[in-house]
Amino acid sequence: MPMSHKDLLIRCHHQIGSFKYIIVKRKQDNKLVPLRVYLNEVQANATSYDKDSIVVSVKYKIRYCGKTKWINEDNIYDTKEEAYKIILK
């Protein structure tokens, strides 16, 4: 029996209203560094792939330095240490 969109439950990796980290390039020396950001909002888009599958993409609206920006959930890290591990790869 195919899944209906009304039966779809989406769980996001990060909680809205919390602080997390992203990786940005510092302007003065172009070095990659972790930046603490606030998660304002989440948007999940569900698209039918075929009769048995649904593809879901999730992005978060973040706030930092007085700006807001949408960012993919794969580019958000729980801790500064996790972000540094990615930078040092």
Side-chain angles (χ1 to χ4, degrees):
M1 177 157 135
M3 179 190 240
S4 166
H5 281 86
K6 66 181 177 184
D7 298 326
L8 183 65
L9 173 64
I10 299 172
R11 293 183 186 225
C12 300
H13 293 281
H14 307 289
Q15 183 176 349
I16 298 304
S18 62
F19 287 94
K20 299 295 177 179
Y21 290 87
I22 62 170
I23 297 172
V24 296
K25 191 180 284 190
R26 195 165 45 197
K27 287 183 180 180
Q28 59 261 46
D29 58 6
N30 288 330
K31 183 178 178 182
L32 293 176
V33 294
L35 176 67
R36 188 172 182 231
V37 296
Y38 183 78
L39 303 181
N40 271 352
E41 190 176 324
V42 65
Q43 182 180 52
N45 295 313
T47 308
S48 292
Y49 181 68
D50 58 31
K51 291 183 181 181
D52 297 323
S53 301
I54 295 175
V55 176
V56 178
S57 64
V58 177
K59 59 185 177 178
Y60 290 82
K61 189 175 193 179
I62 61 170
R63 186 175 66 214
Y64 67 98
C65 303
K67 302 175 187 176
T68 58
K69 173 179 172 175
W70 287 98
I71 192 161
N72 185 312
E73 72 179 339
D74 296 334
N75 297 323
I76 298 174
Y77 306 96
D78 289 325
T79 65
K80 188 185 287 190
E81 290 74 22
E82 286 179 30
Y84 272 123
K85 285 180 186 176
I86 300 300
I87 291 170
L88 298 174
K89 276 188 178 182

